[in-house]
Amino acid sequence: MQSSKDSTRDQDDRKQAHGAPRLPMELWIVVAEHLRHDTTRSFQLYPVRPFHMPSIKSLRLTSRNLNAAVEPLFWERVELAPVNRGKGSIGIIQHLHQNAAHREFVKCLIFSMWRPSPPNQPPPDGNSGSDEARPHVETLSRIFTRLHNLRAIHVNRSHMTCAMYEHLYSLQQLEHVEFSKPPVILLERSLDFDRLDAKMLRLKAITVSYGATETPPGVSACARLFLSPSLEKLVTSSSMAPFIYALTSQQSFDQLRYYEAVEPLELEGFTEFYAFAAHCPNLTSVKFRPRITTEITESDRIPSPPANILTQLHSFEGTLALASRIVPGRPVESVIAAFSSLHSDIPLEAPLKRLSESSRRIKVLNLTIRYLEDDYLAIISRLVPSVEELEILLYLHLVPGVGTIGTRLHLDQLKPLSRLRIFVLKNLQPTSFGPTVIPEPFPELAEGSEQIPVMKTLCKEHGLLEYVELGQTVRWIKEHDSWVWRSPSGSGLVDFEVARSE
Protein backbone atom coordinates (compact mmCIF):
# COMPACT_ATOMS: atom_id res chain seq x y z
CA MET A 1 0.00 0.00 0.00
CA GLN A 2 1.28 3.45 -0.88
CA SER A 3 2.01 5.72 2.06
CA SER A 4 0.54 9.21 2.30
CA LYS A 5 4.07 10.62 1.97
CA ASP A 6 4.65 8.74 -1.30
CA SER A 7 1.22 9.80 -2.58
CA THR A 8 2.01 13.43 -1.89
CA ARG A 9 5.37 13.07 -3.62
CA ASP A 10 3.69 11.54 -6.68
CA GLN A 11 1.18 14.39 -6.77
CA ASP A 12 4.04 16.85 -6.63
CA ASP A 13 5.71 15.01 -9.51
CA ARG A 14 2.51 15.23 -11.59
CA LYS A 15 2.16 18.92 -10.81
CA GLN A 16 5.73 19.52 -11.82
CA ALA A 17 5.24 17.65 -15.08
CA HIS A 18 1.93 19.41 -15.89
CA GLY A 19 3.61 22.65 -16.93
CA ALA A 20 6.63 21.09 -18.63
CA PRO A 21 7.17 18.24 -21.08
CA ARG A 22 8.03 14.86 -19.65
CA LEU A 23 11.62 13.99 -20.44
CA PRO A 24 13.35 10.64 -20.25
CA MET A 25 15.69 10.21 -17.29
CA GLU A 26 18.65 10.20 -19.68
CA LEU A 27 17.85 13.77 -20.80
CA TRP A 28 17.49 15.00 -17.23
CA ILE A 29 20.94 13.56 -16.54
CA VAL A 30 22.28 15.46 -19.56
CA VAL A 31 20.76 18.68 -18.18
CA ALA A 32 22.34 18.08 -14.78
CA GLU A 33 25.70 17.30 -16.37
CA HIS A 34 25.52 20.59 -18.28
CA LEU A 35 24.88 22.51 -15.05
CA ARG A 36 27.95 21.08 -13.35
CA HIS A 37 30.15 21.34 -16.44
CA ASP A 38 33.04 23.78 -16.15
CA THR A 39 35.85 24.70 -18.50
CA THR A 40 38.54 23.60 -16.08
CA ARG A 41 42.21 23.22 -16.69
CA SER A 42 43.68 19.89 -17.60
CA PHE A 43 43.93 17.55 -14.62
CA GLN A 44 41.59 19.68 -12.50
CA LEU A 45 38.91 17.04 -12.64
CA TYR A 46 36.53 18.65 -10.17
CA PRO A 47 36.57 22.44 -9.76
CA VAL A 48 37.02 23.73 -6.23
CA ARG A 49 34.00 26.02 -6.59
CA PRO A 50 31.51 24.57 -9.09
CA PHE A 51 29.64 27.38 -10.83
CA HIS A 52 26.19 25.78 -10.69
CA MET A 53 26.09 23.83 -7.42
CA PRO A 54 23.12 25.95 -6.17
CA SER A 55 21.18 24.86 -9.28
CA ILE A 56 22.01 21.23 -8.62
CA LYS A 57 20.86 21.59 -5.01
CA SER A 58 17.59 23.12 -6.21
CA LEU A 59 16.97 20.34 -8.70
CA ARG A 60 17.32 17.76 -5.93
CA LEU A 61 14.29 19.27 -4.20
CA THR A 62 12.11 19.65 -7.29
CA SER A 63 10.87 16.12 -7.85
CA ARG A 64 11.72 12.50 -7.33
CA ASN A 65 12.92 12.08 -10.92
CA LEU A 66 15.19 15.10 -10.77
CA ASN A 67 16.50 14.04 -7.38
CA ALA A 68 17.52 10.69 -8.83
CA ALA A 69 19.16 12.39 -11.83
CA VAL A 70 21.32 14.84 -9.89
CA GLU A 71 22.07 12.84 -6.74
CA PRO A 72 25.31 11.36 -8.16
CA LEU A 73 26.45 14.83 -9.21
CA PHE A 74 25.60 16.32 -5.83
CA TRP A 75 27.77 13.80 -3.99
CA GLU A 76 30.64 13.54 -6.48
CA ARG A 77 32.50 16.37 -4.73
CA VAL A 78 32.65 16.46 -0.92
CA GLU A 79 34.42 19.11 1.14
CA LEU A 80 35.20 18.52 4.82
CA ALA A 81 36.67 21.30 6.96
CA PRO A 82 36.52 21.01 10.77
CA VAL A 83 37.49 24.61 11.52
CA ASN A 84 34.57 26.60 10.07
CA ARG A 85 32.33 23.68 9.08
CA GLY A 86 32.80 21.31 11.99
CA LYS A 87 29.12 20.49 12.56
CA GLY A 88 28.41 20.22 8.85
CA SER A 89 31.44 18.00 8.28
CA ILE A 90 30.37 15.62 11.03
CA GLY A 91 26.89 15.49 9.49
CA ILE A 92 28.30 14.60 6.07
CA ILE A 93 30.55 11.94 7.59
CA GLN A 94 27.63 10.40 9.48
CA HIS A 95 25.52 10.38 6.31
CA LEU A 96 28.22 8.68 4.27
CA HIS A 97 28.78 6.06 6.97
CA GLN A 98 25.09 5.18 6.76
CA ASN A 99 24.62 5.36 2.97
CA ALA A 100 26.81 3.02 0.91
CA ALA A 101 25.28 4.19 -2.39
CA HIS A 102 26.27 7.78 -1.77
CA ARG A 103 29.80 6.72 -0.82
CA GLU A 104 30.08 5.23 -4.30
CA PHE A 105 29.20 8.63 -5.84
CA VAL A 106 32.09 10.48 -4.16
CA LYS A 107 34.76 11.15 -6.81
CA CYS A 108 36.54 14.18 -5.34
CA LEU A 109 37.36 14.74 -1.67
CA ILE A 110 38.65 18.07 -0.37
CA PHE A 111 39.68 18.19 3.29
CA SER A 112 41.29 21.09 5.12
CA MET A 113 43.11 21.60 8.42
CA TRP A 114 42.33 18.31 10.14
CA ARG A 115 44.51 17.79 13.21
CA PRO A 116 45.18 14.75 15.40
CA SER A 117 43.41 14.34 18.71
CA PRO A 118 45.41 15.48 21.75
CA PRO A 119 47.13 12.79 23.83
CA ASN A 120 44.84 10.90 26.23
CA GLN A 121 41.74 12.37 24.60
CA PRO A 122 39.63 10.14 22.36
CA PRO A 123 38.53 11.80 19.10
CA PRO A 124 34.84 12.55 18.50
CA ASP A 125 33.15 9.59 16.86
CA GLY A 126 31.94 10.29 13.32
CA ASN A 127 29.10 7.79 13.90
CA SER A 128 27.91 9.49 17.05
CA GLY A 129 26.11 12.76 17.35
CA SER A 130 28.96 14.43 19.15
CA ASP A 131 29.80 17.84 17.74
CA GLU A 132 30.80 19.49 20.97
CA ALA A 133 34.50 19.55 20.09
CA ARG A 134 36.29 20.18 16.86
CA PRO A 135 36.54 16.82 15.05
CA HIS A 136 39.98 15.29 14.63
CA VAL A 137 41.67 13.58 11.70
CA GLU A 138 40.94 10.13 13.16
CA THR A 139 37.25 10.85 12.51
CA LEU A 140 38.03 11.77 8.91
CA SER A 141 40.22 8.68 8.53
CA ARG A 142 37.37 6.29 9.27
CA ILE A 143 35.23 7.56 6.39
CA PHE A 144 38.15 8.21 4.04
CA THR A 145 39.08 4.53 4.04
CA ARG A 146 35.51 3.64 2.99
CA LEU A 147 35.60 5.80 -0.17
CA HIS A 148 36.74 3.55 -3.02
CA ASN A 149 35.88 5.52 -6.19
CA LEU A 150 37.94 8.66 -5.57
CA ARG A 151 39.50 10.22 -8.65
CA ALA A 152 40.75 13.47 -7.11
CA ILE A 153 41.96 14.39 -3.61
CA HIS A 154 42.79 17.91 -2.42
CA VAL A 155 44.58 18.14 0.93
CA ASN A 156 44.76 21.64 2.40
CA ARG A 157 47.15 21.99 5.36
CA SER A 158 45.95 18.79 6.92
CA HIS A 159 47.33 15.76 8.69
CA MET A 160 46.84 12.22 7.40
CA THR A 161 46.83 8.96 9.30
CA CYS A 162 48.77 5.87 8.21
CA ALA A 163 45.47 4.26 7.24
CA MET A 164 44.64 7.22 4.96
CA TYR A 165 48.05 7.09 3.32
CA GLU A 166 47.84 3.35 2.74
CA HIS A 167 44.32 3.71 1.33
CA LEU A 168 45.69 5.89 -1.48
CA TYR A 169 47.40 2.83 -2.94
CA SER A 170 44.11 0.95 -3.23
CA LEU A 171 42.36 3.69 -5.24
CA GLN A 172 42.59 2.37 -8.78
CA GLN A 173 40.66 5.33 -10.24
CA LEU A 174 42.73 8.00 -8.50
CA GLU A 175 44.20 10.41 -11.06
CA HIS A 176 44.80 13.72 -9.29
CA VAL A 177 46.31 14.45 -5.86
CA GLU A 178 46.89 18.02 -4.70
CA PHE A 179 48.53 19.16 -1.46
CA SER A 180 48.56 22.82 -0.51
CA LYS A 181 51.68 21.98 1.51
CA PRO A 182 53.62 18.78 2.05
CA PRO A 183 51.23 16.71 4.21
CA VAL A 184 52.01 15.65 7.74
CA ILE A 185 51.57 11.89 7.91
CA LEU A 186 51.03 10.60 11.41
CA LEU A 187 53.46 7.71 11.67
CA GLU A 188 51.65 6.03 14.53
CA ARG A 189 53.01 2.76 13.19
CA SER A 190 55.49 1.63 10.55
CA LEU A 191 54.38 1.58 6.92
CA ASP A 192 54.72 -1.63 4.92
CA PHE A 193 56.31 -0.28 1.76
CA ASP A 194 56.78 -3.76 0.34
CA ARG A 195 53.00 -3.95 0.12
CA LEU A 196 52.47 -0.36 -1.05
CA ASP A 197 53.44 -0.48 -4.71
CA ALA A 198 53.11 2.96 -6.33
CA LYS A 199 53.61 1.37 -9.75
CA MET A 200 50.09 0.00 -9.45
CA LEU A 201 48.69 3.52 -9.21
CA ARG A 202 47.25 5.38 -12.20
CA LEU A 203 47.99 8.89 -11.00
CA LYS A 204 48.21 11.47 -13.78
CA ALA A 205 48.83 14.65 -11.80
CA ILE A 206 50.34 15.50 -8.41
CA THR A 207 50.59 19.05 -7.07
CA VAL A 208 52.35 20.39 -3.98
CA SER A 209 51.65 24.11 -4.09
CA TYR A 210 53.81 25.53 -1.32
CA GLY A 211 56.86 24.54 0.64
CA ALA A 212 57.33 24.28 4.38
CA THR A 213 59.86 25.82 6.72
CA GLU A 214 60.66 22.35 8.01
CA THR A 215 60.34 18.94 6.43
CA PRO A 216 57.19 17.47 8.03
CA PRO A 217 57.06 13.87 9.21
CA GLY A 218 56.17 11.41 6.50
CA VAL A 219 57.04 13.65 3.54
CA SER A 220 59.54 11.10 2.20
CA ALA A 221 56.81 8.46 2.36
CA CYS A 222 54.45 10.76 0.47
CA ALA A 223 57.07 11.30 -2.22
CA ARG A 224 56.73 7.63 -3.13
CA LEU A 225 53.39 8.48 -4.74
CA PHE A 226 55.40 10.17 -7.48
CA LEU A 227 56.58 6.74 -8.63
CA SER A 228 53.26 6.21 -10.38
CA PRO A 229 54.28 5.22 -13.93
CA SER A 230 51.31 7.04 -15.51
CA LEU A 231 52.25 10.45 -14.06
CA GLU A 232 51.84 13.19 -16.68
CA LYS A 233 51.91 16.36 -14.58
CA LEU A 234 54.06 17.12 -11.54
CA VAL A 235 54.02 20.36 -9.54
CA THR A 236 56.27 20.33 -6.50
CA SER A 237 57.52 22.60 -3.75
CA SER A 238 61.08 23.30 -2.65
CA SER A 239 60.87 20.93 0.32
CA MET A 240 59.49 18.05 -1.77
CA ALA A 241 61.85 18.39 -4.73
CA PRO A 242 64.91 16.69 -3.15
CA PHE A 243 62.83 13.62 -2.25
CA ILE A 244 61.43 13.45 -5.79
CA TYR A 245 64.86 13.82 -7.39
CA ALA A 246 66.09 10.94 -5.26
CA LEU A 247 63.47 8.67 -6.83
CA THR A 248 65.06 8.87 -10.27
CA SER A 249 67.41 6.04 -9.35
CA GLN A 250 64.37 3.75 -9.15
CA GLN A 251 62.64 4.46 -12.47
CA SER A 252 62.17 6.72 -15.47
CA PHE A 253 59.18 9.05 -15.72
CA ASP A 254 58.32 8.25 -19.31
CA GLN A 255 54.80 9.72 -19.26
CA LEU A 256 55.70 13.01 -17.57
CA ARG A 257 54.88 15.96 -19.83
CA TYR A 258 54.66 18.91 -17.42
CA TYR A 259 57.00 19.78 -14.54
CA GLU A 260 56.76 22.80 -12.24
CA ALA A 261 58.91 23.68 -9.22
CA VAL A 262 60.50 26.59 -7.37
CA GLU A 263 63.79 27.76 -8.85
CA PRO A 264 66.65 26.26 -6.80
CA LEU A 265 68.22 28.54 -4.25
CA GLU A 266 71.67 26.99 -4.69
CA LEU A 267 73.47 26.28 -7.93
CA GLU A 268 73.67 22.58 -7.02
CA GLY A 269 69.89 22.45 -7.29
CA PHE A 270 70.11 22.95 -11.05
CA THR A 271 72.44 19.98 -11.38
CA GLU A 272 69.96 17.87 -9.39
CA PHE A 273 67.12 18.96 -11.67
CA TYR A 274 69.12 18.11 -14.78
CA ALA A 275 69.76 14.62 -13.39
CA PHE A 276 66.03 14.25 -12.78
CA ALA A 277 65.16 15.56 -16.27
CA ALA A 278 67.41 12.90 -17.79
CA HIS A 279 64.83 10.36 -16.53
CA CYS A 280 61.93 12.32 -18.09
CA PRO A 281 62.48 11.86 -21.84
CA ASN A 282 59.10 13.28 -22.90
CA LEU A 283 58.94 16.52 -20.92
CA THR A 284 57.36 19.20 -23.11
CA SER A 285 56.69 21.98 -20.54
CA VAL A 286 58.86 23.18 -17.66
CA LYS A 287 58.05 26.00 -15.27
CA PHE A 288 60.27 27.35 -12.48
CA ARG A 289 58.53 29.75 -10.12
CA PRO A 290 61.12 32.43 -9.24
CA ARG A 291 62.28 32.95 -5.69
CA ILE A 292 61.88 36.57 -4.59
CA THR A 293 65.02 36.25 -2.43
CA THR A 294 67.20 34.54 -5.02
CA GLU A 295 70.64 35.95 -5.70
CA ILE A 296 71.25 33.88 -8.84
CA THR A 297 70.73 36.65 -11.39
CA GLU A 298 73.63 36.15 -13.82
CA SER A 299 73.05 33.50 -16.44
CA ASP A 300 76.74 32.57 -16.65
CA ARG A 301 76.58 31.31 -13.05
CA ILE A 302 73.80 28.83 -13.86
CA PRO A 303 75.14 25.56 -15.29
CA SER A 304 73.94 24.62 -18.75
CA PRO A 305 71.96 21.39 -19.05
CA PRO A 306 73.48 18.47 -20.97
CA ALA A 307 72.55 18.47 -24.64
CA ASN A 308 70.83 15.07 -24.43
CA ILE A 309 68.09 16.11 -21.96
CA LEU A 310 64.87 18.12 -22.45
CA THR A 311 65.00 17.29 -26.15
CA GLN A 312 61.18 17.48 -26.43
CA LEU A 313 60.81 20.80 -24.58
CA HIS A 314 58.29 23.10 -26.29
CA SER A 315 57.40 25.53 -23.50
CA PHE A 316 59.51 27.13 -20.74
CA GLU A 317 58.61 29.55 -17.95
CA GLY A 318 61.07 31.01 -15.45
CA THR A 319 63.57 33.80 -14.97
CA LEU A 320 65.19 35.28 -18.04
CA ALA A 321 68.60 34.12 -16.78
CA LEU A 322 67.47 30.50 -16.50
CA ALA A 323 65.60 30.61 -19.81
CA SER A 324 68.77 31.77 -21.56
CA ARG A 325 70.54 28.61 -20.34
CA ILE A 326 67.82 26.03 -21.01
CA VAL A 327 66.18 27.20 -24.26
CA PRO A 328 69.17 27.23 -26.70
CA GLY A 329 69.35 24.12 -28.87
CA ARG A 330 65.91 22.85 -27.82
CA PRO A 331 62.62 22.96 -29.79
CA VAL A 332 61.08 25.66 -27.60
CA GLU A 333 58.25 27.67 -29.17
CA SER A 334 56.84 29.42 -26.08
CA VAL A 335 58.83 31.39 -23.48
CA ILE A 336 57.47 33.19 -20.43
CA ALA A 337 60.37 34.92 -18.71
CA ALA A 338 61.00 37.63 -16.14
CA PHE A 339 63.97 39.43 -14.68
CA SER A 340 64.86 37.58 -11.50
CA SER A 341 64.80 40.65 -9.27
CA LEU A 342 62.57 43.71 -9.07
CA HIS A 343 65.71 45.83 -8.67
CA SER A 344 67.99 44.19 -11.26
CA ASP A 345 69.12 46.08 -14.33
CA ILE A 346 70.08 43.21 -16.63
CA PRO A 347 70.53 44.07 -20.30
CA LEU A 348 67.82 42.51 -22.42
CA GLU A 349 69.79 41.87 -25.60
CA ALA A 350 72.23 39.18 -24.38
CA PRO A 351 69.67 36.78 -22.84
CA LEU A 352 67.21 37.39 -25.69
CA LYS A 353 69.91 36.45 -28.21
CA ARG A 354 70.30 33.16 -26.35
CA LEU A 355 66.54 32.56 -26.58
CA SER A 356 66.71 33.08 -30.33
CA GLU A 357 68.99 30.02 -30.47
CA SER A 358 66.03 27.70 -29.94
CA SER A 359 65.97 24.95 -32.56
CA ARG A 360 62.44 26.05 -33.49
CA ARG A 361 60.92 29.45 -34.15
CA ILE A 362 59.70 31.10 -30.97
CA LYS A 363 56.03 31.90 -31.48
CA VAL A 364 55.01 33.03 -27.98
CA LEU A 365 57.11 35.47 -25.94
CA ASN A 366 55.98 36.87 -22.59
CA LEU A 367 58.46 39.18 -20.85
CA THR A 368 58.17 40.78 -17.42
CA ILE A 369 60.60 43.70 -17.16
CA ARG A 370 61.04 46.89 -15.13
CA TYR A 371 60.19 49.37 -17.86
CA LEU A 372 60.32 49.74 -21.61
CA GLU A 373 63.66 51.07 -22.76
CA ASP A 374 63.65 53.02 -26.02
CA ASP A 375 65.23 50.17 -27.99
CA TYR A 376 63.58 47.12 -26.37
CA LEU A 377 60.94 46.58 -29.05
CA ALA A 378 63.61 46.92 -31.73
CA ILE A 379 65.76 44.28 -29.99
CA ILE A 380 62.82 41.89 -29.74
CA SER A 381 61.86 42.39 -33.38
CA ARG A 382 65.44 41.86 -34.56
CA LEU A 383 66.28 38.79 -32.48
CA VAL A 384 62.89 37.02 -32.39
CA PRO A 385 61.13 38.03 -35.62
CA SER A 386 59.01 34.85 -35.66
CA VAL A 387 56.92 35.90 -32.64
CA GLU A 388 53.15 35.62 -33.09
CA GLU A 389 52.11 36.44 -29.52
CA LEU A 390 54.04 39.15 -27.67
CA GLU A 391 53.17 40.18 -24.12
CA ILE A 392 55.26 42.67 -22.15
CA LEU A 393 54.48 43.32 -18.49
CA LEU A 394 56.07 46.28 -16.68
CA TYR A 395 56.54 46.39 -12.91
CA LEU A 396 58.17 49.76 -12.36
CA HIS A 397 55.25 50.83 -10.14
CA LEU A 398 56.11 47.99 -7.72
CA VAL A 399 59.68 49.12 -7.01
CA PRO A 400 59.84 51.37 -3.89
CA GLY A 401 61.68 54.64 -4.26
CA VAL A 402 61.73 54.66 -8.06
CA GLY A 403 59.87 57.43 -9.78
CA THR A 404 57.74 57.17 -12.88
CA ILE A 405 59.72 57.00 -16.09
CA GLY A 406 58.12 58.45 -19.18
CA THR A 407 57.64 55.40 -21.37
CA ARG A 408 57.25 55.94 -25.11
CA LEU A 409 55.59 53.29 -27.21
CA HIS A 410 57.93 53.10 -30.24
CA LEU A 411 55.45 50.77 -31.91
CA ASP A 412 57.13 51.39 -35.27
CA GLN A 413 59.89 49.10 -34.01
CA LEU A 414 57.47 46.14 -34.20
CA LYS A 415 57.31 46.29 -38.02
CA PRO A 416 59.57 43.21 -38.58
CA LEU A 417 57.07 41.03 -36.65
CA SER A 418 55.08 40.09 -39.74
CA ARG A 419 53.31 37.16 -38.01
CA LEU A 420 52.11 39.15 -34.97
CA ARG A 421 48.58 38.15 -33.93
CA ILE A 422 48.48 39.17 -30.24
CA PHE A 423 50.17 42.19 -28.66
CA VAL A 424 49.92 43.15 -24.97
CA LEU A 425 51.83 45.97 -23.25
CA LYS A 426 50.72 46.89 -19.74
CA ASN A 427 51.72 47.03 -16.09
CA LEU A 428 52.11 43.80 -14.14
CA GLN A 429 49.11 42.86 -12.01
CA PRO A 430 50.51 41.97 -8.56
CA THR A 431 49.03 39.17 -6.52
CA SER A 432 49.80 39.79 -2.87
CA PHE A 433 51.88 42.97 -2.93
CA GLY A 434 51.91 46.37 -4.58
CA PRO A 435 49.10 48.89 -5.03
CA THR A 436 45.49 47.81 -5.22
CA VAL A 437 44.82 50.01 -8.25
CA ILE A 438 47.39 49.49 -10.97
CA PRO A 439 48.44 52.80 -12.58
CA GLU A 440 48.19 53.32 -16.30
CA PRO A 441 51.61 53.09 -17.99
CA PHE A 442 50.34 55.34 -20.78
CA PRO A 443 47.88 57.85 -19.23
CA GLU A 444 47.40 59.62 -22.55
CA LEU A 445 45.95 56.37 -23.98
CA ALA A 446 43.71 55.40 -21.07
CA GLU A 447 40.52 55.36 -23.17
CA GLY A 448 39.65 53.30 -26.21
CA SER A 449 38.85 56.34 -28.33
CA GLU A 450 42.31 57.77 -27.57
CA GLN A 451 43.96 54.59 -28.87
CA ILE A 452 42.36 54.69 -32.32
CA PRO A 453 45.35 56.41 -34.05
CA VAL A 454 47.76 53.91 -32.44
CA MET A 455 45.59 50.96 -33.44
CA LYS A 456 45.33 52.28 -36.98
CA THR A 457 49.12 52.24 -37.25
CA LEU A 458 49.35 48.74 -35.76
CA CYS A 459 46.73 47.35 -38.13
CA LYS A 460 48.49 48.91 -41.10
CA GLU A 461 51.75 47.15 -40.28
CA HIS A 462 50.34 43.86 -38.96
CA GLY A 463 47.58 42.38 -41.07
CA LEU A 464 47.26 39.23 -38.93
CA LEU A 465 46.59 41.11 -35.68
CA GLU A 466 43.63 39.75 -33.67
CA TYR A 467 43.98 41.04 -30.09
CA VAL A 468 45.65 44.10 -28.51
CA GLU A 469 46.00 45.46 -24.98
CA LEU A 470 47.69 48.82 -24.41
CA GLY A 471 47.57 49.83 -20.76
CA GLN A 472 45.45 48.52 -17.94
CA THR A 473 41.88 49.07 -19.05
CA VAL A 474 41.38 48.82 -22.82
CA ARG A 475 41.18 45.59 -24.83
CA TRP A 476 40.87 45.45 -28.61
CA ILE A 477 39.36 42.34 -30.25
CA LYS A 478 39.00 41.81 -33.97
CA GLU A 479 35.56 40.65 -35.06
CA HIS A 480 35.28 39.95 -38.78
CA ASP A 481 36.58 43.08 -40.54
CA SER A 482 36.06 45.46 -37.61
CA TRP A 483 37.63 46.02 -34.22
CA VAL A 484 35.80 46.22 -30.89
CA TRP A 485 37.36 47.98 -27.93
CA ARG A 486 36.14 47.36 -24.40
CA SER A 487 36.95 49.07 -21.11
CA PRO A 488 35.22 49.67 -17.75
CA SER A 489 34.02 53.04 -19.05
CA GLY A 490 32.45 51.73 -22.24
CA SER A 491 33.03 50.06 -25.57
CA GLY A 492 33.05 50.89 -29.25
CA LEU A 493 33.16 49.45 -32.76
CA VAL A 494 35.79 50.77 -35.18
CA ASP A 495 36.30 49.93 -38.85
CA PHE A 496 39.87 50.78 -39.75
CA GLU A 497 40.13 51.66 -43.42
CA VAL A 498 43.87 51.30 -43.80
CA ALA A 499 46.10 50.32 -46.62
CA ARG A 500 48.21 47.28 -45.84
CA SER A 501 51.96 47.77 -45.89
CA GLU A 502 53.79 46.48 -48.93
Side-chain angles (χ1 to χ4, degrees):
M1 178 178 291
Q2 189 180 43
S3 68
S4 59
K5 183 176 181 180
D6 289 339
S7 177
T8 302
R9 187 68 173 267
D10 289 342
Q11 291 176 12
D12 291 342
D13 287 348
R14 289 193 294 271
K15 289 178 181 178
Q16 186 272 336
H18 181 71
R22 286 187 176 274
L23 295 177
M25 177 61 68
E26 291 79 5
L27 288 182
W28 284 121
I29 293 175
V30 170
V31 171
E33 283 282 355
H34 176 75
L35 285 174
R36 55 86 64 184
H37 181 68
D38 181 23
T39 54
T40 57
R41 298 171 299 172
S42 297
F43 302 107
Q44 190 172 334
L45 302 178
Y46 300 92
V48 175
R49 293 180 178 85
F51 289 160
H52 301 296
M53 183 55 74
S55 300
I56 291 177
K57 289 181 178 179
S58 299
L59 283 177
R60 291 178 72 231
L61 304 176
T62 302
S63 75
R64 181 180 297 172
N65 283 342
L66 291 181
N67 182 281
V70 303
E71 197 74 0
L73 304 179
F74 179 80
W75 286 104
E76 74 174 359
R77 174 190 175 277
V78 171
E79 184 170 0
L80 300 172
V83 176
N84 53 1
R85 302 180 186 176
K87 186 179 295 186
S89 295
I90 287 293
I92 293 173
I93 290 174
Q94 291 172 350
H95 176 87
L96 291 175
H97 272 300
Q98 297 165 6
N99 196 312
H102 289 178
R103 290 200 301 271
E104 298 300 306
F105 296 151
V106 181
K107 301 296 192 299
C108 173
L109 180 65
I110 304 169
F111 57 94
S112 308
M113 303 182 69
W114 289 79
R115 300 290 181 264
S117 57
N120 304 320
Q121 176 181 330
D125 187 354
N127 287 309
S128 70
S130 173
D131 55 16
E132 297 295 324
R134 170 180 166 180
H136 302 298
V137 71
E138 292 83 359
T139 301
L140 173 66
S141 180
R142 285 192 286 273
I143 192 60
F144 181 81
T145 53
R146 300 185 73 185
L147 302 176
H148 301 290
N149 293 330
L150 289 171
R151 297 185 62 192
I153 297 173
H154 299 249
V155 184
N156 180 24
R157 295 183 293 172
S158 185
H159 288 63
M160 296 177 66
T161 64
C162 279
M164 295 172 71
Y165 175 77
E166 291 173 340
H167 186 60
L168 294 176
Y169 289 82
S170 69
L171 299 172
Q172 293 303 305
Q173 299 182 56
L174 187 63
E175 295 184 353
H176 181 113
V177 176
E178 180 171 345
F179 302 108
S180 63
K181 287 186 177 181
V184 178
I185 300 176
L186 302 175
L187 300 177
E188 65 270 21
R189 55 180 171 78
S190 60
L191 294 168
D192 184 4
F193 287 116
D194 292 334
R195 185 174 59 84
L196 303 176
D197 186 3
K199 295 182 180 180
M200 300 299 293
L201 293 172
R202 299 177 183 176
L203 284 174
K204 291 185 177 180
I206 301 179
T207 298
V208 183
S209 300
Y210 301 102
T213 55
E214 299 179 355
T215 302
V219 70
S220 59
C222 191
R224 292 175 59 89
L225 294 172
F226 293 77
L227 286 171
S228 173
S230 58
L231 200 62
E232 298 177 14
K233 177 181 178 182
L234 171 55
V235 180
T236 184
S237 65
S238 55
S239 55
M240 285 288 290
F243 294 96
I244 296 167
Y245 295 160
L247 298 176
T248 55
S249 61
Q250 302 181 42
Q251 74 169 55
S252 293
F253 296 83
D254 295 333
Q255 301 300 315
L256 196 63
R257 301 294 191 274
Y258 180 92
Y259 178 80
E260 179 180 334
V262 179
E263 182 175 327
L265 182 61
E266 304 293 338
L267 292 174
E268 292 78 7
F270 295 102
T271 304
E272 293 175 352
F273 166 69
Y274 297 155
F276 168 76
H279 293 263
C280 308
N282 295 307
L283 266 180
T284 58
S285 298
V286 171
K287 175 181 178 180
F288 276 102
R289 303 188 297 274
R291 289 178 177 271
I292 296 178
T293 58
T294 185
E295 296 298 328
I296 304 175
T297 56
E298 299 177 9
S299 61
D300 57 0
R301 295 183 58 201
I302 300 175
S304 295
N308 62 343
I309 70 169
L310 300 174
T311 57
Q312 304 298 315
L313 191 65
H314 294 166
S315 173
F316 179 81
E317 181 174 350
T319 62
L320 195 57
L322 184 53
S324 68
R325 305 304 285 181
I326 288 182
V327 169
R330 293 175 173 81
V332 177
E333 297 180 341
S334 174
V335 177
I336 301 176
F339 285 157
S340 54
S341 171
L342 293 177
H343 298 273
S344 61
D345 281 312
I346 302 175
L348 179 66
E349 184 164 3
L352 207 60
K353 186 177 186 303
R354 295 278 293 167
L355 296 187
S356 70
E357 296 171 8
S358 167
S359 62
R360 287 191 183 177
R361 296 181 313 189
I362 291 181
K363 298 179 180 179
V364 179
L365 181 61
N366 183 316
L367 295 174
T368 300
I369 57 182
R370 287 185 65 183
Y371 50 83
L372 195 67
E373 294 276 13
D374 287 343
D375 60 347
Y376 273 10
L377 294 183
I379 292 173
I380 293 171
S381 300
R382 173 167 50 87
L383 295 177
V384 201
S386 58
V387 163
E388 299 177 11
E389 300 179 20
L390 177 60
E391 181 170 350
I392 300 175
L393 304 179
L394 313 172
Y395 56 75
L396 179 67
H397 64 286
L398 299 179
V399 183
V402 178
T404 301
I405 294 178
T407 299
R408 295 178 58 194
L409 287 175
H410 297 293
L411 296 183
D412 57 304
Q413 297 176 0
L414 294 175
K415 187 174 182 178
L417 303 183
S418 59
R419 299 181 179 90
L420 193 65
R421 295 185 301 104
I422 297 175
F423 178 58
V424 176
L425 178 59
K426 63 181 182 180
N427 278 333
L428 175 68
Q429 182 77 36
T431 52
S432 58
F433 56 92
T436 304
V437 179
I438 310 304
E440 281 284 350
F442 319 110
E444 69 279 9
L445 300 175
E447 295 295 332
S449 57
E450 297 167 345
Q451 294 187 5
I452 290 178
V454 176
M455 283 296 300
K456 188 172 183 178
T457 301
L458 279 174
C459 291
K460 179 180 179 181
E461 303 293 349
H462 305 280
L464 301 179
L465 210 56
E466 301 172 356
Y467 180 88
V468 175
E469 277 189 65
L470 289 175
Q472 301 307 111
T473 57
V474 183
R475 294 176 296 141
W476 290 85
I477 304 169
K478 189 174 185 180
E479 296 183 357
H480 305 293
D481 294 328
S482 301
W483 283 83
V484 176
W485 63 267
R486 295 185 175 93
S487 74
S489 60
S491 62
L493 179 67
V494 182
D495 185 6
F496 295 115
E497 296 180 0
V498 297
R500 302 298 180 197
S501 60
E502 298 294 334

